[in-house]
Amino acid sequence: MEIKDILIIAKEFVDNPGARDREDGSNSGQQFLEDLFVSRFDKAVEGNYIILVDLTGVLGYPSSFVSGSFGKLSIERGSEILLKHLRFKSNNNPLNVDKVINEIKNPTPPKK
């Protein structure tokens, strides 16, 4: 498979991601997932291609944002399909890539 889409979070969403849920404030992981990411991901699965998710240009990714977006989708769809259709890069902090991949592999269960 080849990369056919690039999602630059700092440019297409925000450079200061927020918390997990919309009710927790602006720029939440839920907002990113529902308003931007899931439709792009579904197109990649349908078209059998990879999205390069560029994490560069963001000061930091709160764990609640990562679990409310990538983790939630991993719980819903399974880590295998996410890791098949997603690649990540971060020019300013490679640990952000590790953080997201770890959340996909070991998603934080939602609080009840």
Side-chain angles (χ1 to χ4, degrees):
M1 273 194 302
E2 63 183 288
I3 295 171
K4 291 190 178 180
D5 189 9
I6 299 173
L7 171 61
I8 303 171
I9 293 178
K11 290 183 181 173
E12 296 183 57
F13 188 60
V14 293
D15 63 359
N16 61 335
R20 179 183 323 272
D21 301 314
R22 289 181 191 268
E23 63 215 28
D24 297 328
S26 60
N27 309 331
S28 69
Q30 180 184 16
Q31 179 185 348
F32 169 74
L33 177 64
E34 293 174 354
D35 296 354
L36 179 66
F37 188 61
V38 78
S39 62
R40 299 266 289 267
F41 179 75
D42 287 343
K43 286 178 186 172
V45 172
E46 274 180 36
N48 200 32
Y49 61 84
I50 295 168
I51 300 172
L52 175 63
V53 180
D54 191 342
L55 305 168
T56 306
V58 172
L59 295 175
Y61 287 90
S63 56
S64 56
F65 176 88
V66 174
S67 67
S69 55
F70 298 104
K72 184 174 181 185
L73 192 59
S74 180
I75 289 168
E76 292 173 0
R77 308 280 179 91
S79 62
E80 286 181 23
I81 195 161
L82 269 73
L83 295 173
K84 179 179 177 183
H85 292 280
L86 299 175
R87 297 296 178 274
F88 300 93
K89 80 172 202 170
S90 178
N91 293 338
N92 58 317
N93 189 349
L95 292 177
N96 286 333
V97 172
D98 296 338
K99 185 178 197 174
V100 172
I101 290 174
N102 184 53
E103 181 64 31
I104 290 171
K105 289 180 177 178
N106 305 291
T108 305
K111 295 180 180 175
K112 297 182 179 181

